[in-house]
Amino acid sequence: MDQAIAALSFKGVGKTYRRSHLGRTYLSRGVEGLDLDIARGEAFGLLGLNGSGKTTTFKLALGLLRPTMGEVSTLGLPPFSPQALSRVGFLPELPYFYPFLTPEESLIFYGRLSGLDPAGLKRRVAEALELVGLSSHSRRRIAELSKGTVQRLGLAQAVIHDPELIILDEPVSGLDPLAIRDFRDMLQRLSDRGKTLVISSHSISELEKLCHRVGILKDGRLARLLTQQDWRSAPGGLEDLFVETVK
Amino acid sequence: MSRLFVLAVNAWQENLRGRFFLLSFFFGLILLYVSLLLGILAADQELRVLVDFGLALIEIIGLAGALFGACTALLREIENKTIYLVLSRPVRRWELLVGRFLGLMLSAWAAMAVMGLFHLALLFLKGWSWENAYLWAWLGSCAKVWVTASLGLFLSLFSSSVMTAGAIAAILWTLGHFLPEMRALIARSPDQAAALPMQLLSLVIPDLQCLNLRDKIAASSFDQAWLGLGYAALYSLVWTGLSVWLLKRKEF
């Protein structure tokens, strides 16, 4: 693994959405002029108001969207390449699963899609269920699970193949305080194991506790890049710095 | 190849555990029972009516299930956002599309096979004796379902509504049974320029008449029957290929 290659790299990246309706084309900006390098092993937070471009940034990193301009690379590779995607885990905001499967079946399905060999798959499924505390729910149908439990399963599917880079879009959205603390502990353990975490969240205090650096997006542009030192030395912490930037 | 297989198995599980296939299966059983009553009404031709009506029902029910499945296969993945968890892995888009379509078709054909077995049991009870033409007729129905579902899959990729894609595919399925008549009318049209849109349409519409394999077997045209199956495979592969091309261009 070449540590010199960034886990995620955006160089002058822009994404404009085109939507056509009744013969008219409407353009809207997702991100613009995004220059950002995220180092391997780093826990990086993305903050921004709704519509600021956080999800667009993640989708560009995963090859779900193509940039209108600029260049994106994921682990030094084109983001849509199978070689890059096999080393990336993704937890979308409010993950959706096939309701007819159980958590265990879902993890087997996603593990196989990630290229895990059948011999190691069973062990990885058990480990992932253990990590997120879902071992006792492994054979219930997903349709019967609570939102917090589904979110835990979301994290389990993101780490089932032991990826180097884990992208989490609003991982604690809608969770109760106890679940949030559990989630933070799980993410901290992953970070301690050297995984690169890229997290977007509206929960500033969570990013403050977990991240080494935080980027603030405003209207699709990276308005500010902050280090732990910046928010620890600021009287109002990260929250005041965020409000000051987006106002 | 293994990812394709994993996706096909997932689609198979979804269809077998889904209510729609279960309902269509029971619906088929009930309708086959009704065909018994119809057979009684056509006292002289009871067996013939039973065979024809049963085979037609198997095709229509199989078609309804497969068409609904094809039109929702990717639309539902997109609407439910389950597609994010698949495409954020090393899965190529063609693998997703072909895998899901393969699983769908295997489950549709399995449902048609079960209905066929039930139908055969009824026929044997009525004293019918086996004819190879029955198998050919069943194969022809499976081929028609495959052809129409591949069209439905393609239509679903540029339509935002399952209903629209399904309705257009169902119209093309209906027109497909009259394609030779349509071609004859075009040929007899005095104004060929005015007939051009119809000519273009006739290139898109599947020729389902050539998949009435029982007629061909009855006329001992085995070559024609195999040709029909080859045509169905080629037609479906072309539309599936076009669907892959469309899916590759999509952003999520």
Side-chain angles (χ1 to χ4, degrees):
Chain A
M1 184 169 75
D2 188 351
Q3 291 293 337
I5 296 172
L8 264 183
S9 174
F10 297 86
K11 293 196 192 314
V13 172
K15 176 65 192 173
T16 305
Y17 294 101
R18 293 169 70 91
R19 287 196 175 86
S20 298
H21 183 62
L22 299 173
R24 297 182 75 174
T25 303
Y26 301 90
L27 301 178
S28 63
R29 184 174 60 194
V31 291
E32 191 177 2
L34 181 62
D35 281 303
L36 176 66
D37 277 340
I38 297 170
R40 293 190 182 205
E42 187 176 16
F44 187 89
L46 259 187
L47 275 175
L49 300 176
N50 291 334
S52 59
K54 300 187 295 292
T55 301
T56 300
T57 305
F58 286 168
K59 286 182 176 179
L60 287 164
L62 292 159
L64 294 168
L65 294 175
R66 289 176 208 94
T68 320
M69 63 174 74
E71 194 182 312
V72 184
S73 76
T74 302
L75 298 162
L77 296 160
F80 48 81
S81 71
Q83 291 84 353
L85 291 173
S86 63
R87 292 153 62 196
V88 179
F90 176 49
L91 169 62
E93 186 181 5
L94 304 174
Y96 291 89
F97 293 93
Y98 300 107
F100 57 91
L101 295 179
T102 65
E104 190 178 34
E105 288 171 334
S106 291
L107 293 182
I108 290 170
F109 172 65
Y110 291 116
R112 282 182 178 155
L113 288 186
S114 298
L116 290 181
D117 64 288
L121 184 58
K122 207 170 176 185
R123 180 181 50 82
R124 282 299 305 160
V125 168
E127 282 172 4
L129 287 168
E130 183 70 32
L131 173 81
V132 300
L134 270 186
S135 300
S136 58
H137 293 79
S138 63
R139 300 214 171 145
R140 284 176 64 188
R141 274 166 60 104
I142 291 174
E144 300 165 7
L145 301 179
S146 69
K147 189 178 176 183
T149 313
V150 171
Q151 197 76 357
R152 284 168 187 267
L153 179 60
L155 183 61
Q157 65 75 32
V159 299
I160 184 75
H161 51 304
D162 197 21
E164 295 166 47
L165 166 64
I166 305 166
I167 297 174
L168 306 114
D169 194 0
E170 303 285 354
V172 296
S173 163
L175 297 184
D176 63 50
L178 271 181
I180 289 175
R181 197 176 67 173
D182 282 353
F183 240 80
R184 190 198 315 137
D185 292 345
M186 288 185 271
L187 296 181
Q188 188 62 62
R189 283 202 292 277
L190 289 166
S191 181
D192 293 345
R193 282 168 50 196
K195 305 292 180 194
T196 308
L197 302 181
V198 186
I199 312 162
S200 84
S201 180
H202 286 305
S203 174
I204 295 172
S205 63
E206 292 309 312
L207 294 187
E208 205 168 24
K209 285 170 193 155
L210 202 64
C211 295
H212 304 124
R213 283 195 304 158
V214 163
I216 300 174
L217 285 170
K218 185 185 178 189
D219 300 328
R221 289 182 163 275
L222 184 63
R224 203 163 181 182
L225 206 51
L226 300 161
T227 63
Q228 263 182 355
Q229 185 62 33
D230 294 327
W231 65 76
R232 282 182 183 163
S233 59
L238 183 57
E239 186 173 349
D240 277 10
L241 292 171
F242 173 68
V243 172
E244 185 187 301
T245 309
V246 298
K247 245 186 173 176
Chain B
M1 218 36 201
S2 63
R3 289 192 180 93
L4 189 79
F5 177 72
V6 171
L7 288 158
V9 169
N10 178 260
W12 164 270
Q13 281 178 320
E14 181 174 17
N15 290 317
L16 286 200
R17 293 183 191 181
R19 282 182 195 157
F20 188 82
F21 261 85
L22 199 65
L23 283 176
S24 64
F25 176 66
F26 281 113
F27 190 54
L29 296 186
I30 291 164
L31 285 181
L32 286 173
Y33 177 71
V34 172
S35 72
L36 280 176
L37 302 179
L38 279 176
I40 293 165
L41 289 175
D44 297 343
Q45 299 285 327
E46 186 184 2
L47 276 174
R48 194 178 155 192
V49 170
L50 265 179
V51 171
D52 291 349
F53 190 69
L55 281 168
L57 281 176
I58 290 169
E59 182 178 321
I60 288 168
I61 293 164
L63 177 75
L67 196 52
F68 179 80
C71 292
T72 54
L74 289 167
L75 276 182
R76 203 164 41 187
E77 288 261 4
I78 296 166
E79 278 171 15
N80 293 346
K81 298 178 183 171
T82 45
I83 200 162
Y84 293 146
L85 295 185
V86 176
L87 289 184
S88 59
R89 290 171 198 281
V91 174
R92 291 186 172 88
R93 292 187 178 196
W94 73 264
E95 290 176 319
L96 170 66
L97 187 136
V98 176
R100 288 203 65 83
F101 189 58
L102 183 64
L104 169 73
M105 287 319 302
L106 288 177
S107 41
W109 289 331
M112 290 172 77
V114 172
M115 284 190 271
L117 288 175
F118 188 79
H119 185 219
L120 281 174
L122 280 178
L123 291 174
F124 285 131
L125 278 175
K126 286 282 176 182
W128 181 74
S129 42
W130 172 256
E131 292 165 18
N132 285 341
Y134 184 92
L135 183 63
W136 282 100
W138 182 84
L139 281 174
S141 293
C142 287
K144 285 185 197 177
V145 169
W146 183 18
V147 159
T148 316
S150 65
L151 254 178
L153 180 72
F154 175 78
L155 291 167
S156 75
L157 283 170
F158 59 82
S159 163
S160 56
S161 153
V162 172
M163 285 300 288
T164 312
I168 295 172
I171 290 168
L172 292 175
W173 173 80
T174 311
L175 290 174
H177 287 94
F178 301 102
L179 192 62
E181 289 82 353
M182 191 173 162
R183 283 183 182 142
L185 283 173
I186 292 167
R188 287 170 61 184
S189 169
D191 185 352
Q192 284 299 306
L196 189 64
M198 290 300 281
Q199 269 178 337
L200 293 174
L201 189 64
S202 72
L203 295 175
V204 176
I205 296 170
D207 186 355
L208 298 180
Q209 281 266 25
C210 80
L211 293 172
N212 285 332
L213 302 185
R214 197 156 55 135
D215 301 345
K216 301 195 187 313
I217 298 305
S220 298
S221 305
F222 282 90
D223 289 351
Q224 291 282 311
W226 284 112
L227 212 61
L229 289 178
Y231 165 80
L234 187 66
Y235 186 93
S236 302
L237 289 174
V238 166
W239 286 103
T240 308
L242 288 170
S243 302
V244 168
W245 178 74
L246 268 184
L247 185 66
K248 276 188 175 175
R249 294 167 60 89
K250 266 192 180 290
E251 291 190 311
F252 300 101

